[in-house]
């Protein structure tokens, strides 16, 4: 049986940028982003969860993450803001 993962999108309260990632423990990962433990997101705190979905397996999570980082995926995430 494959592990479950969460593909997620966070939005920065500082400048409204969107960050996409995946993790097996969503709550822990959001806490890491907001406590400054992640270099790439440290300067744009605080972060709020914009979107997430549960997927089965690391490979599926990577593919979904890549999709949401693409042009069409980012457009979908931005559409959630309006």
């Amino acid at each position: 049986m494959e592990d479950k993962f969460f593909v997620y999108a966070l939005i920065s309260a500082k400048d409204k940028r969107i960050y996409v990632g995946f993790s097996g423990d969503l709550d822990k990962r959001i806490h890491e982003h907001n406590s400054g433990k992640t270099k790439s997101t440290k300067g744009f705190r605080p972060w709020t969860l914009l979107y997430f979905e549960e997927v089965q397996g690391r490979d599926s999570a990577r593919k979904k993450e890549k999709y949401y980082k693409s042009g069409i995926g980012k457009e979908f995430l931005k559409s959630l803001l309006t």
Side-chain angles (χ1 to χ4, degrees), residues 9-40:
L10 303 176
I11 185 161
S12 168
K14 189 171 185 178
D15 67 358
K16 303 297 183 218
R17 77 178 56 216
I18 294 173
Y19 175 85
V20 176
F22 74 93
S23 176
D25 186 339
L26 185 58
D27 291 332
K28 180 181 174 189
R29 190 67 180 126
I30 292 170
H31 177 74
E32 289 171 351
H33 285 294
N34 280 320
S35 63
K37 293 182 180 177
T38 305
K39 266 188 198 178
S40 61

Side-chain angles (χ1 to χ4, degrees), residues 18 20 62-78:
I18 294 173
V20 176
R62 256 191 242 284
K63 285 176 187 166
K64 278 285 186 176
E65 178 192 38
K66 190 173 182 179
Y67 168 76
Y68 287 118
K69 287 181 174 181
S70 74
I72 195 158
K74 275 277 168 93
E75 288 304 313
F76 166 76
L77 295 172
K78 287 177 185 175

Side-chain angles (χ1 to χ4, degrees), residues 1-8 22-27 52-62:
M1 186 178 140
E2 293 191 83
D3 292 333
K4 70 176 179 180
F5 287 87
F6 298 93
V7 179
Y8 62 91
F22 74 93
S23 176
D25 186 339
L26 185 58
D27 291 332
F52 75 94
E53 67 181 87
E54 186 177 322
V55 295
Q56 294 298 316
R58 183 177 293 274
D59 288 343
S60 295
R62 256 191 242 284

